[in-house]
Structure formats: structure tokens, C-alpha cells
Amino acid sequence: MNSKTEVSEKILSHFFNGKSIGKSLKEMSVDLVKTETEDVVSRWYHAPSTDLFTWTDRGHHIIKQQLHFNGQVVEWNCLEGIRTGLIIEADLGLKPTYNAEGKMEKDRVSQSIKFDALPMNNCVELALEILENVDFEKPIRLQLVDNFRNPQNLTNMDPQLFLDRFGMALAGARRPGETVLSRFKKLLK
């Protein structure tokens, strides 16, 4: 076997190896997202060709998590449960721009997610393998894994359990005419 083939096989084995991807995820940033009624902590973790985003409420419950790997997306949120999809990139067709040093800026690309009609099991399985191997604190890792393995949401969770788990996001004043559902949808955008 030549060295070029060995390098290609090594790259491919990492590309689809949940264990090595999970072990290489590192926290890149933590942000506090303030809304009128809720403070949400957003975290971004990164590894080659992989990004994990989490959003937690004041009670430290994950209300949304999204894992991007190899162009695929697996998302869980407390309203809709689990979804899978594909990252779609579109060239915005803008003229190149130059920074202060006269270097051309990167191409301007818009990303969106096209979600599947039904979750793709093979994507969820690889996402689980990645999350089972992250070097996070055990309670956080278990919560991330459980959200993908046993995806509970507003439609299949006991109402009292939903309020107990995610009620912190509902604390505070609501605007007139605002429903719990509309408030959560706004929070998870």
C-alpha cells in the first residue's frame, strides 16, 4: 500500500469515527444570550469537520443542542424533539471585499439547514457515538446523550415533568397574548 492511500484511509477513518471525533471536541466559546425574560448560555465546541452547539437555561438544563458533522446535522430541542438534516451552503454572489491589509476576505456563503421529514437513524447513531466519547463533565455528557437517545419534548413529555425540567425558561413576565409555546419558539431560534 502506498503512503498516499494510507493517508487517505487515515483521513476517512477519522472522518467517520465517532470516538476520535468526540475525544477531539474542545470548547471554543461561551456566550450569554439575554432576552427580555430569559438568560440562555450558549456554548460552542469544535473539532475538525465537527461543531457542537448547546443552549442551557438558568436551571442548567439543555433546552437545545445541535451537532454538525461531515455536513450532517442532528438537533434536539425541548419543543420538537430530535431532527436530522443537511447543511446547505449557497454562494451569496457578492463581490469580493478586502480587509484593512488589502487581503481578500473569504467568500461570502450563506448556510441553512434542510431538515429531513423523519430523523435518519444512521446520523443519530454517529452523533451518539461522538457524544458518548466527549471529555465533558459526566452530568453534561449524560444529558447530551440522553437527549439524542431518549428524545423527550413538549408533545411526548408529561406536562408537569416538562415544567419541572424547563420551567426556568418560563419564569418571569410574559407579554399579553404570548403563549408558552410561542415564547419557547422565540427562545430557541
Side-chain angles (χ1 to χ4, degrees):
M1 198 179 288
N2 67 30
S3 63
K4 192 174 185 179
T5 305
E6 289 172 355
V7 170
S8 296
E9 286 180 4
K10 185 176 181 180
I11 291 169
L12 275 177
S13 70
H14 176 76
F15 199 68
F16 294 106
N17 184 323
K19 185 175 184 176
S20 66
I21 293 170
K23 291 198 176 297
S24 63
L25 273 173
K26 303 292 181 222
E27 188 171 66
M28 302 304 285
S29 73
V30 178
D31 294 307
L32 179 63
V33 180
K34 289 186 167 277
T35 67
E36 292 176 18
T37 57
E38 177 64 42
D39 293 340
V40 176
V41 176
S42 169
R43 294 181 185 275
W44 169 41
Y45 304 88
H46 179 73
S49 74
T50 306
D51 291 292
L52 169 65
F53 303 94
T54 64
W55 294 265
T56 56
D57 65 9
R58 282 185 239 154
H60 304 287
H61 293 102
I62 296 171
I63 57 175
K64 181 177 178 178
Q65 66 192 53
Q66 195 175 76
L67 182 62
H68 301 193
F69 55 93
N70 309 328
Q72 300 292 309
V73 175
V74 180
E75 176 185 286
W76 172 87
N77 69 66
C78 62
L79 288 180
E80 299 161 313
I82 198 163
R83 306 186 301 169
T84 61
L86 181 66
I87 296 174
I88 306 294
E89 290 187 352
D91 184 353
L92 295 177
L94 300 173
K95 292 181 181 176
T97 58
Y98 297 88
N99 64 20
E101 290 89 37
K103 294 182 181 175
M104 190 167 71
E105 294 286 316
K106 291 185 176 179
D107 294 335
R108 301 214 179 178
V109 175
S110 172
Q111 286 189 343
S112 62
I113 300 171
K114 176 155 179 32
F115 285 103
D116 302 316
L118 295 172
M120 303 290 287
N121 289 334
N122 56 344
C123 292
V124 175
E125 289 301 317
L126 184 52
L128 281 166
E129 185 179 348
I130 291 168
L131 293 178
E132 287 167 347
N133 288 285
V134 295
D135 290 327
F136 298 172
E137 293 178 18
K138 189 175 181 179
I140 295 168
R141 183 173 42 83
L142 292 176
Q143 193 178 152
L144 289 165
V145 168
D146 193 51
N147 288 339
F148 281 170
R149 181 167 284 134
N150 303 304
Q152 295 188 24
N153 61 52
L154 181 64
T155 60
N156 66 4
M157 189 183 288
D158 175 80
Q160 188 58 50
L161 179 60
F162 185 86
L163 288 174
D164 290 346
R165 187 167 173 196
F166 304 112
M168 292 298 287
L170 300 175
R174 275 192 310 187
R175 292 182 157 189
E178 184 179 46
T179 67
V180 170
L181 186 59
S182 67
R183 187 159 175 204
F184 259 112
K185 282 183 179 178
K186 224 186 319 180
L187 185 65
L188 292 174
K189 282 189 173 185

